[in-house]
Amino acid sequence: MQDFLKYAKMNPFDRMRAGILKSMNLTEADLARMSPDQRAAVEQKIRDAIEKQLEKKGQQPGSLVDQSA
């Protein structure tokens, strides 16, 4: 139940990131344990995957930013 509530409270970007990490069989804790070079490589793969997902949906990078503030 707590996992569901945590997921439900995520913004769209965080949900995409979590899904991509899951597809890579990684967690945020796994990333934290990586060397800086390894983490940078994985973060780049995540960015690339998010950009591809946005392109498929016809959205521009940055369109998921909350601009209400």
Side-chain angles (χ1 to χ4, degrees):
M1 179 82 163
Q2 288 179 345
D3 289 339
F4 172 76
L5 291 175
K6 182 179 174 182
Y7 183 81
K9 291 179 183 179
M10 288 181 177
N11 64 47
F13 173 80
D14 290 336
R15 286 186 196 141
M16 274 195 265
R17 179 180 170 87
I20 293 165
L21 280 173
K22 186 176 181 178
S23 73
M24 298 171 78
N25 294 319
L26 295 172
T27 65
E28 290 291 343
D30 294 331
L31 284 178
R33 289 190 295 268
M34 290 181 180
S35 72
D37 290 339
Q38 288 175 319
R39 183 179 176 122
V42 171
E43 292 287 355
Q44 184 60 51
K45 288 179 183 179
I46 292 169
R47 279 190 293 276
D48 293 343
I50 288 172
E51 285 179 14
K52 285 180 184 177
Q53 286 183 15
L54 290 176
E55 287 173 6
K56 285 181 184 177
K57 294 180 181 180
Q59 297 176 337
Q60 296 296 319
S63 64
L64 296 179
V65 175
D66 182 6
Q67 298 178 357
S68 63

